[in-house]
Amino acid sequence: MAESPELTGGHEETARPRRIVVLGTSGSGKSTLATRLARELGIDHVELDALHHGPHWTPRPTEEFAADIAELRDRPAWVVDGNYIDRVADTLWPRADLVVWLDLPLAVILPRILRRTVRRIRHRTELWAGNREDWSALFGRHSLLVWAVRSQRAHQAELPGRLAALRRSGVRVVRLTSGRAADRWLVEETNG
């Protein structure tokens, strides 16, 4: 998979995708893009974070999460956002018609995380299973800012090879490196 172009993969398929995986570092816009894509295509949107997190930010049991992923895999249509690469890549990715990787720079991602988290704290926004973020989400042991830096590095090391192999197996792969490219791609994808 080429590193420099914003889009990788053409519009060689004429049928609209029915199973789509959206990947990217926290703050890259995965949920926003997936929500818009699902709405435009008229299919279900599933956030993997909602399947993973139980009350008090505890991970749901591995068996339950795996069962949810297996059930999701067998549905006729879905847009899934989230990573959990080691837990879902072998199950969901090969079933996808399309995988979208939002590979935005940290200079974009980190301010987004900061603004989003502050907004969620101020408004006491409930996320998954009744969980709410607090200031430790930015400055604590599990800082989202630190997590974004680490996961960005891991994704850039791991995803090109994994996605190239997936593409060789026939799954369409798109890599978007800016918000503008994501907006442009979404319009082309849903109107084409």
Side-chain angles (χ1 to χ4, degrees), residues 5-8 33 100-104 174-179 181-183 185-186:
E6 289 185 318
L7 300 177
T8 304
L33 181 66
V100 179
W101 176 21
L102 290 172
D103 186 22
L104 279 62
V174 177
R175 179 181 180 209
L176 304 166
T177 58
S178 73
D183 289 340
W185 173 82
L186 181 65

Side-chain angles (χ1 to χ4, degrees), residues 84-102:
Y84 301 94
I85 295 168
D86 293 338
R87 298 176 70 189
V88 305
D90 293 339
T91 306
L92 287 182
W93 296 9
R95 294 281 295 176
D97 303 314
L98 171 64
V99 174
V100 179
W101 176 21
L102 290 172

Side-chain angles (χ1 to χ4, degrees), residues 14 39 69 94 140 184-185:
T14 56
R39 184 177 55 242
I69 297 303
R184 201 170 46 240
W185 173 82

Side-chain angles (χ1 to χ4, degrees), residues 49-69:
D49 281 335
L51 298 180
H52 174 76
H53 292 292
H56 310 291
W57 297 106
T58 56
R60 290 182 53 235
T62 302
E63 305 78 30
E64 288 179 20
F65 184 77
D68 287 344
I69 297 303

